[in-house]
Amino acid sequence: MSQKIFFTDLDGTLLNDQKEITPGNQKAVDLALQAGHKIVIATGRPLSSARIQAERLGLLREGCYIIAFNGGEIYDSSLERSIYRKTVPLELVAPIFAEAHQLGIHIQTFSAAEVLTEEERPEVIDYVRRTLQTFRVVPSAGAALTEAPCKLLAIEYERREVIEQFQRDLLEKFAGILDCYFSNESYLEIVPCGVTKGTAVRWLCDYLEIPLENSVSAGDAPNDVDMIETAHIGVAMRNSFPGVAEHSDYVTAADNNHDGAAEIIYRFLLEGGGLAASRSITRNLL
């Protein structure tokens, strides 16, 4: 059996709504690793948060990797080191924070160990609670950073039209330098131009010398679409956001609370038959 690689989002995909892995998903992941396949967590979370979750899942071992910051950083779990990193220019942090503040939008960025923000607001408290992080309020996020960050994150729970205008403004001002896209209804990801989970899929497959034809990806949110389209088999979760499934080759019968990731692993990594054959089959299931 040829070696395959599985790229999986965390929230809404590998994890249930309680941010836990179901026993069925855990068993399937363990079996895939035992069979010699690669498991890659691909998340918008910062690396420090993703590593905490990976440790809880038993995925800091041989054959495991982490794509963090939506593709801004790639980490080899067995070697315990980053193998790829792309950053937002440090000099842009202050003006982007200033514009967000003018619009009343919460904004934060990330050091190696914690979330940095210039105001203590409910948005950052909620964020660190869910991602197992700590945060620090600083007078200037740009000045507090010791190295350029992989991303900034703007959060707006109610005024969708305001954060969409903020997105348009940033894309116009920093064309060719920054990309901005939503990872859910409230989170605007501000990243270096070209950083996506899909770009990271291609980079890691090349790095590991695994043919893209042996790749499978799974996600549920808009920031997963590029990864779903890039992998040879792209899977949307049953619980996906509207519009995500139309970019996929297969939609799970089970959702993230009922072993949906295990369904993917058994079907495309462990049951044989080859991914090329599976692709032609799954097209007819949509």
Side-chain angles (χ1 to χ4, degrees):
M1 180 171 61
S2 61
Q3 185 181 62
K4 300 168 188 174
I5 184 166
F6 178 44
F7 298 87
T8 175
D9 177 49
L10 279 176
D11 301 312
T13 304
L14 185 61
L15 303 181
N16 62 19
D17 290 346
Q18 288 70 48
K19 311 300 181 184
E20 301 168 341
I21 189 168
T22 63
N25 280 351
Q26 186 71 69
K27 180 180 178 181
V29 166
D30 291 341
L31 288 173
L33 288 169
Q34 291 170 18
H37 303 307
K38 306 290 189 185
I39 300 291
V40 185
I41 290 172
T43 179
R45 295 188 189 195
L47 179 60
S48 54
S49 172
R51 284 191 76 260
I52 292 170
Q53 192 64 68
E55 184 174 15
R56 290 185 171 188
L57 302 176
L59 296 179
L60 292 180
R61 52 174 155 155
E62 183 69 31
C64 299
Y65 298 82
I66 297 171
I67 294 171
F69 296 113
N70 287 306
E73 189 162 11
I74 303 176
Y75 182 82
D76 185 320
S77 296
S78 62
L79 297 179
E80 298 185 345
R81 66 177 178 87
S82 292
I83 54 178
Y84 173 90
R85 196 168 189 268
K86 189 172 183 180
T87 58
V88 173
L90 189 56
E91 64 272 15
L92 299 186
V93 174
I96 293 172
F97 264 69
E99 183 166 346
H101 291 326
Q102 288 178 355
L103 296 171
I105 296 172
H106 170 74
I107 191 165
Q108 62 191 45
T109 190
F110 306 86
S111 69
E114 60 189 347
V115 178
L116 298 177
T117 186
E118 295 175 0
E119 298 178 300
E120 182 173 335
R121 291 177 40 156
E123 292 91 338
V124 69
I125 294 171
D126 179 59
Y127 180 87
V128 298
R129 176 185 58 81
R130 293 187 305 99
T131 60
L132 309 175
Q133 294 274 274
T134 59
F135 76 95
R136 180 161 55 101
V137 178
V138 296
S140 167
L145 288 164
T146 58
E147 60 181 354
C150 286
K151 78 169 186 178
L152 284 66
L153 179 66
I155 304 176
E156 173 57 59
Y157 290 139
E158 297 180 356
R159 301 173 304 154
R160 177 73 180 197
E161 70 284 356
V162 175
I163 198 168
E164 286 181 345
Q165 184 60 55
F166 182 49
Q167 177 191 32
R168 289 191 290 270
D169 290 346
L170 293 180
L171 288 172
E172 180 179 352
K173 288 180 181 179
F174 303 112
I177 302 172
L178 298 179
D179 277 341
C180 306
Y181 46 78
F182 287 93
S183 55
N184 61 34
E185 289 298 318
S186 304
Y187 286 11
L188 179 64
E189 310 279 341
I190 304 166
V191 300
C193 194
V195 165
T196 67
K197 291 184 181 182
T199 302
V201 165
R202 289 187 180 277
W203 190 94
L204 190 55
C205 283
D206 287 344
Y207 177 83
L208 296 174
E209 298 182 342
I210 296 175
L212 194 62
E213 289 73 20
N214 286 4
S215 64
V216 182
S217 67
D220 71 302
N223 66 322
D224 297 319
V225 166
D226 190 55
M227 176 174 72
I228 289 170
E229 291 183 332
T230 299
H232 189 63
I233 297 291
V235 180
M237 301 298 293
R238 182 182 180 89
N239 52 281
S240 292
F241 285 78
V244 173
E246 64 190 51
H247 298 276
S248 69
D249 301 298
Y250 178 77
V251 179
T252 60
D255 64 18
N256 65 306
N257 293 314
H258 299 90
D259 301 341
E263 177 185 335
I264 299 164
I265 291 171
Y266 289 126
R267 185 179 185 92
F268 298 115
L269 274 76
L270 297 177
E271 290 189 352
L275 291 184
S278 297
R279 192 177 184 89
S280 63
I281 294 170
T282 55
R283 282 291 184 187
N284 298 322
L285 295 177
L286 298 177

